[in-house]
Amino acid sequence: MRTYKITSLLVITSLALFSRSYGQKTASLKDSYKNDFLIGTALNATQIEEKDPTAKVLIPKQFNAATPENIMKAEVIHPGWDKYNFDLADKLVAYGKKYNIRINGHTLIWHSQLPAFMHGMQDADSVKQYFTNHIKTVAARYNGKVFSWDVVNEALNEDGTLRKSIFADKLGPDFVTEAFRLAQAASPDAQLYYNDYNNEQPAKRAGCIALIKKIQAAGVRIDGVGIQGHWRASNIPLKDIEESIVEYSKLGIKVMFTELDLGVLPNPWDGDAADVNMKATYTAKMNPYANGLPDSMQVKLTKGYEDLFKLFLKYKGTVSRVTFWGVNDGQSWLNGWPIKGRTNYPLLFDRNYQPKPAFDAVIALKK
Ligand code: XIL
């Protein structure tokens, strides 16, 4: 009788252990950093629709903020002049509500991933109408439903001047301020942000500060600036990042790291631009870790994340959110950009959703 009881107890315990899905033992990023800043991730359609069983458990446990990786971009949400497709964005909002995850709408005005009907549009009045209708319709629908908006994404060149784009060309240099004015009217309850890559670099940062001051001088609200954070593990500009947190906070706004990933692969131009339109050709030399990441690189990646989170913690209160650009390495856009078909390792969870040493290092800072 006794043996039977003990055996069945063992069977039950081991069954429980084996059926343990991801997440019951792993520490939680959002819980560890709950007194510091929000921890976010980019979500793709599969994850929003909860079609991946591991992600379904992992995401709500690890993250309390989310940005749609693609589904709120104009080409998806506004496919025809009078046609909007809110299906997935509505699902995302419901997902956020269900799991208490704050949604950052990404993005209202951006020159990339525009709908086909905008390509080559010459008539300034039409561009103006698109601009107004798009912001009004999308921002109003999600007022009170998203926590924040990336109102304008990537309006600047590396030297800090305004990037040549359909919006700058047809609407003039005030289009950024106008976008914020329209977003404020349509989505008064949302936080409004300007978002860019490399805006921690001194010249681009100066342009970004001037842009933010211009918005503020017009009496228009801007609540924060997003630094995307697509860096390379071997080349993280810690000093520029720290100076940027300090300089931006002097403007009275929050600073966020909105698309963090640390690539480990060679960059064809040896630079850090994150322009989605850049492309290079595949060669085996450019894909050195197809069969696994060597320890030396793993160590570099871990140290990179550790250094960054130390810095973010030093400025908690000013830094209000840190969002990773994806949940796991397999999902990362860096497997396909700027060269298709590579194997990159830029995030805290590996392709099987197992936490990496970098995850442990980030958690350890809070122990
Ligand atoms: C990327 C997505 O991750 C990809 O899936 C898509 O093919 C291209 O865009 N800066 C941004 C993001 O603001 O929207 C980009 O996301 C990455 C660079």
Side-chain angles (χ1 to χ4, degrees):
M1 186 63 191
R2 205 163 157 215
T3 330
Y4 169 72
K5 261 194 183 161
I6 293 173
T7 324
S8 50
L9 199 71
L10 278 175
V11 170
I12 292 168
T13 324
S14 49
L15 269 180
L17 279 177
F18 281 118
S19 63
R20 211 171 229 178
S21 53
Y22 164 85
Q24 281 164 323
K25 281 195 301 191
T26 315
S28 158
L29 291 166
K30 71 159 192 203
D31 291 346
S32 299
Y33 283 82
K34 67 174 185 298
N35 297 322
D36 307 308
F37 36 75
L38 296 171
I39 302 277
T41 183
L43 294 181
N44 63 26
T46 311
Q47 294 159 340
I48 293 166
E49 296 195 298
E50 300 191 67
K51 286 183 178 160
D52 179 325
T54 311
K56 187 181 158 127
V57 178
L58 185 150
I59 295 163
K61 177 161 179 196
Q62 296 294 334
F63 304 104
N64 48 19
T67 301
E69 187 175 1
N70 286 300
I71 59 105
M72 276 185 147
K73 290 174 180 172
E75 69 175 1
V76 180
I77 209 166
H78 191 172
W81 181 260
D82 275 327
K83 193 168 170 256
Y84 290 85
N85 180 1
F86 295 123
D87 190 36
L88 280 163
D90 287 356
K91 282 187 183 161
L92 173 68
V93 166
Y95 180 93
K97 205 166 169 193
K98 179 170 166 193
Y99 294 114
N100 212 4
I101 291 175
R102 286 191 196 179
I103 304 300
N104 173 58
H106 176 80
T107 167
L108 291 171
I109 295 298
W110 187 28
H111 63 278
S112 290
Q113 295 185 266
L114 279 170
F117 70 86
M118 288 295 289
H119 296 167
M121 189 180 279
Q122 292 303 323
D123 171 45
D125 279 346
S126 303
V127 175
K128 178 134 203 228
Q129 255 188 64
Y130 162 84
F131 181 85
T132 311
N133 292 343
H134 181 78
I135 298 177
K136 275 192 175 166
T137 310
V138 179
R141 183 179 180 94
Y142 296 107
N143 182 43
K145 296 187 170 159
V146 297
F147 177 72
S148 54
W149 282 109
D150 290 337
V151 178
V152 176
N153 196 30
E154 302 179 354
L156 295 167
N157 292 314
E158 299 306 281
D159 67 359
T161 57
L162 203 63
R163 178 198 286 271
K164 198 171 149 45
S165 72
I166 184 166
F167 302 115
D169 291 353
K170 304 294 176 194
L171 309 178
D174 289 343
F175 86 87
V176 178
T177 304
E178 290 317 306
F180 276 81
R181 198 192 300 278
L182 287 166
Q184 180 180 358
S187 213
D189 302 325
Q191 297 276 295
L192 306 177
Y193 306 141
Y194 176 76
N195 194 53
D196 215 325
Y197 60 81
N198 285 356
N199 51 341
E200 77 283 353
Q201 294 299 316
K204 196 161 181 176
R205 183 206 306 155
C208 194
I209 289 173
L211 192 72
I212 294 165
K213 283 189 169 163
K214 187 172 165 183
I215 298 169
Q216 292 174 326
V220 174
R221 177 165 63 88
I222 172 165
D223 302 292
V225 59
I227 297 173
Q228 291 184 4
H230 297 294
W231 294 305
R232 281 178 292 164
S234 54
N235 186 32
I236 306 173
L238 286 170
K239 185 169 163 281
D240 298 320
I241 299 169
E242 177 156 18
E243 281 170 15
S244 298
I245 299 173
V246 172
E247 290 303 310
Y248 285 131
S249 74
K250 287 185 188 155
L251 303 170
I253 57 173
K254 296 286 183 204
V255 181
M256 278 140 295
F257 294 88
T258 54
E259 306 185 11
L260 181 59
D261 47 24
L262 299 180
V264 298
L265 299 181
N267 178 296
W269 308 280
D270 200 36
D272 284 302
D275 186 332
V276 295
N277 302 308
M278 288 162 82
K279 278 185 188 71
T281 326
Y282 182 94
T283 59
K285 197 172 149 249
M286 294 306 271
N287 191 23
Y289 311 133
N291 299 320
L293 194 63
D295 286 348
S296 59
M297 253 348 255
Q298 191 76 263
V299 167
K300 216 173 246 182
L301 182 75
T302 305
K303 170 86 169 51
Y305 270 116
E306 189 180 347
D307 290 346
L308 268 175
F309 273 78
K310 266 189 198 153
L311 183 60
F312 298 157
L313 279 171
K314 183 172 170 192
Y315 293 98
K316 66 177 184 187
T318 298
V319 173
S320 61
R321 167 165 58 89
V322 177
T323 293
F324 296 90
W325 204 239
V327 179
N328 78 5
D329 285 343
Q331 174 200 350
S332 169
W333 74 304
L334 294 176
N335 297 305
W337 179 92
I339 297 176
K340 283 217 168 84
R342 297 200 293 177
T343 308
N344 213 329
Y345 302 81
L347 298 167
L348 297 190
F349 296 96
D350 73 12
R351 285 169 165 72
N352 299 315
Y353 288 108
Q354 293 308 307
K356 294 158 61 175
F359 173 91
D360 299 334
V362 169
I363 293 284
L365 289 175
K366 291 299 301 176
K367 274 191 177 145

